[in-house]
Amino acid sequence: MEEALVRARIPRDLEKVLGVESQTSFKAEAFTQVFLKNSIQHHARYDVKAMLTHKAVILGYSRPKKDKSKRNSKKAKGLNARQKRAMKIFQIKPEHQRYELFLPLHELWTQYITDLCNGLKPEGSPQFVQQKLLKADFHGAIITVVRSKCPSYVGTTGILVQEFKHVFKIITKEDKLKVIPKRNSVFAVEINGFVSHIYGSKFEQRASERSAKKFKVRGTIDL
């Protein structure tokens, strides 16, 4: 149907309006041949028709390069230390510095450390418990400063709410946030009657790093 419309003659009333004249099919075909012949540029040395008929034409193709910027943008980029400090991510708000708010955390830690040490039985080996505690996470533990080169820290007790590489942050029963340096301090941790001492100078690591470290068994050391 569409081909018939294309080949149909232009109505005579439109011929006058458009200023054209319909041609017979023979004249139309001749015009098309002449038009194509004049429009196509012939190569000086090669016959295009013969080349397409008897030879394979190789078209150049190259894979598009991947946009690395888009690929890298999909990866989640973490915040650096300066950005974290600027956003105050690790700061506990004053209204949250309450001892009772962290008591459930202490209960969870007590259950966690009991399971880690196989129940903390009286007949258990102290060396086994000590090795487990060296790699344990102490967030939620109640710790006490028993020795320190700074006398003002001695006797400070509270729930450990944040552990960094060089300091412990604890909440005391008086709802005060205390920052205790690990270096030159000895801490006591009591779990169901079992008391263990932590030498902060040998504990200057993040909790995640300490869990993967191999500790050597040594005697006690002084400050």
Side-chain angles (χ1 to χ4, degrees):
M1 182 67 181
E2 295 180 356
E3 184 177 356
L5 290 175
V6 172
R7 293 177 175 274
R9 294 176 61 88
I10 301 175
R12 294 197 175 186
D13 53 345
L14 288 179
E15 289 181 0
K16 295 180 180 181
V17 176
L18 299 175
V20 297
E21 182 179 355
S22 298
Q23 302 292 333
T24 62
S25 60
F26 177 78
K27 290 184 178 181
E29 184 178 354
F31 170 79
T32 304
Q33 293 291 343
V34 173
F35 175 79
L36 293 176
K37 185 177 180 180
N38 295 333
S39 298
I40 298 177
Q41 296 180 357
H42 294 280
H43 199 278
R45 297 180 56 188
Y46 300 101
D47 185 356
V48 178
K49 184 176 181 181
M51 183 177 65
L52 293 176
T53 305
H54 302 289
K55 295 183 180 180
V57 178
I58 301 176
L59 301 178
Y61 175 76
S62 60
R63 292 183 178 274
K65 295 182 179 180
K66 296 182 180 180
D67 192 350
K68 294 183 179 180
S69 61
K70 293 183 179 180
R71 182 177 58 184
N72 295 334
S73 63
K74 294 180 181 179
K75 295 182 180 179
K77 296 182 180 179
L79 301 176
N80 56 37
R82 181 178 298 178
Q83 291 172 332
K84 291 177 181 178
R85 287 194 297 269
M87 297 175 65
K88 300 180 180 180
I89 292 177
F90 298 114
Q91 292 189 12
I92 302 176
K93 296 181 180 180
E95 59 267 24
H96 297 156
Q97 297 176 13
R98 296 168 53 192
Y99 185 84
E100 62 179 8
L101 291 179
F102 295 94
L103 286 176
L105 177 63
H106 171 63
E107 294 176 1
L108 289 173
W109 181 85
T110 302
Q111 184 62 46
Y112 151 74
I113 209 68
T114 302
D115 295 340
L116 182 66
C117 299
N118 295 333
L120 288 173
K121 300 177 182 178
E123 63 274 12
S125 170
Q127 289 79 11
F128 170 78
V129 175
Q130 191 69 25
Q131 286 295 321
K132 291 294 184 181
L133 290 177
L134 285 172
K135 297 186 177 184
D137 191 322
F138 283 88
H139 288 89
I142 295 179
I143 63 175
T144 302
V145 183
V146 294
R147 295 177 63 185
S148 177
K149 282 192 174 182
C150 183
S152 62
Y153 291 139
V154 178
T156 304
T157 302
I159 299 176
L160 176 61
V161 293
Q162 287 180 321
E163 179 185 355
F164 297 96
K165 185 174 183 179
H166 299 290
V167 298
F168 285 134
K169 284 188 178 183
I170 64 175
I171 294 289
T172 66
K173 290 184 178 180
E174 293 77 22
D175 296 335
K176 293 183 179 180
L177 181 66
K178 298 287 186 178
V179 180
I180 312 295
K182 294 180 179 180
R183 181 169 296 183
N184 300 326
S185 298
V186 179
F187 305 88
V189 181
E190 182 178 356
I191 316 107
N192 297 334
F194 181 89
V195 179
S196 178
H197 289 84
I198 298 173
Y199 289 83
S201 298
K202 299 300 179 180
F203 230 63
E204 289 187 299
Q205 290 178 327
R206 297 178 179 86
S208 58
E209 297 174 353
R210 189 174 66 250
S211 63
K213 183 179 178 180
K214 293 182 179 180
F215 291 90
K216 295 181 180 179
V217 179
R218 296 178 180 177
T220 59
I221 58 174
D222 293 329
L223 296 177

